Amino acid sequence: MAAVFRHFATQEDLEKAYDVEASVPDFAAYARQFVESSSRTRDRQPCELGVRYGPTRDEYADIFPAARRGSPILIFIHGGFWRSLSAREFSFCATGAQRAGVTAVIANYSIAPGARIGEMVRQMRALVAWCYANAKSINGDADAIYVCGHSAGGHLTATTLLTDWLAHYDLPENTVKGGVAISGLFDLAPVKLLSFVQGDLRLTDEEILTHSPARSIRRVRPQLLVTYGSEEPSEFLRQSDEFLQDWRRVGNRGAFLPQPGRNHFTAITDLAEPNSALCRAVLAMMGHTPRPHDPSRPGAVPSVEDLMRGVSV
């Protein structure tokens, strides 16, 4: 009997390896936490909601500007298997970055079945181009744009890093300086086999070849940080590990940050805390240290060199 995919003998085995909701005891509790934390974030932190970056109704971003002008920009792309959720459930992901002096841009994009995956890729590239053109208006630095994404957002982060900005947008080749892929998916071939996703995505073989970052890795300038929780479904770990290996193999810069004891949902909660290991690693990739910086103050964000300790390269 032939395997369904790789070593998975049955459809049930394969789907279990991708089923993030079933991988935790109470998925609804995490969903509530995201919604409530995001609502508090919008109430307490300076933000501009629903900023349009493109012509369609879904092309908007919630912007949490840094206090200082000329600050780095971090674009966060949410997950949801390309078919659920929106920017509003992930406002909390702006907290750590904004408090550390970074302008956080929480991306919204069209989802399936209303949009094909290529349109999602296009929209995220359009958001990057918008941030480059409008950096000053959001207290950002056009020469310090970074992208961070979770789950399906990790996939869209990778497609953004692999964009030929000069050829398609007449922007500098290094428009995006780096990316953080949290629990990402980089090969769409097995996703096409998942019954709980494919009905909405309707992935074709051509889309798999065109929009799977794992199948289009090339030498690029941006650096990549890969991270995931140790308690996540097995395929998220495998895809992340293999993508990072292949990323490095062609000569790109890449690092891995382990998150022991974390699951698919708690792998991003530390984005809300500027002193967490995850936020420290993101800031280190940016080469950004919040100011004023007082090394003697308990809880102060350390130097870039200190931040990178514990991150494997």
Side-chain angles (χ1 to χ4, degrees), residues 125-261:
R125 290 169 172 166
L127 176 56
V128 170
W130 184 93
C131 286
Y132 184 87
N134 295 276
K136 289 184 179 179
S137 70
I138 59 175
N139 284 357
D141 179 358
D143 291 323
I145 297 175
Y146 297 81
V147 179
C148 174
H150 175 237
S151 199
H155 160 267
L156 294 169
T157 293
T159 58
T160 300
L161 296 184
L162 291 166
T163 300
D164 189 337
W165 294 104
L166 182 61
H168 298 294
Y169 289 87
D170 199 24
L171 292 176
E173 292 181 359
N174 64 338
T175 294
V176 177
K177 299 300 188 294
V180 183
I182 308 172
S183 314
L185 294 174
F186 309 98
D187 184 3
L188 298 176
V191 177
K192 182 182 178 183
L193 303 175
L194 303 175
S195 63
F196 64 92
V197 176
Q198 177 62 0
D200 288 329
L201 291 184
R202 295 166 290 135
L203 284 168
T204 66
D205 291 342
E206 181 178 358
E207 286 173 322
I208 290 170
L209 290 173
T210 303
H211 300 301
S212 289
R215 297 166 182 257
S216 57
I217 293 178
R218 60 186 178 86
R219 186 73 179 268
V220 291
R221 294 188 181 183
Q223 55 186 314
L224 171 68
L225 175 66
V226 169
T227 183
Y228 54 72
S230 62
E231 305 306 308
E232 302 203 35
S234 61
E235 279 291 273
F236 287 85
L237 278 60
R238 178 192 67 81
Q239 285 219 23
S240 292
D241 289 342
E242 292 187 1
F243 185 72
L244 180 57
Q245 290 169 8
D246 292 341
W247 181 267
R248 291 168 170 167
R249 187 173 293 120
V250 300
N252 293 329
R253 293 176 294 164
F256 173 67
L257 175 71
Q259 294 196 55

Side-chain angles (χ1 to χ4, degrees), residues 11-22:
Q11 183 70 24
E12 181 181 4
D13 290 339
L14 176 63
E15 303 218 354
K16 182 179 179 181
Y18 282 93
D19 192 342
V20 294
E21 294 186 16

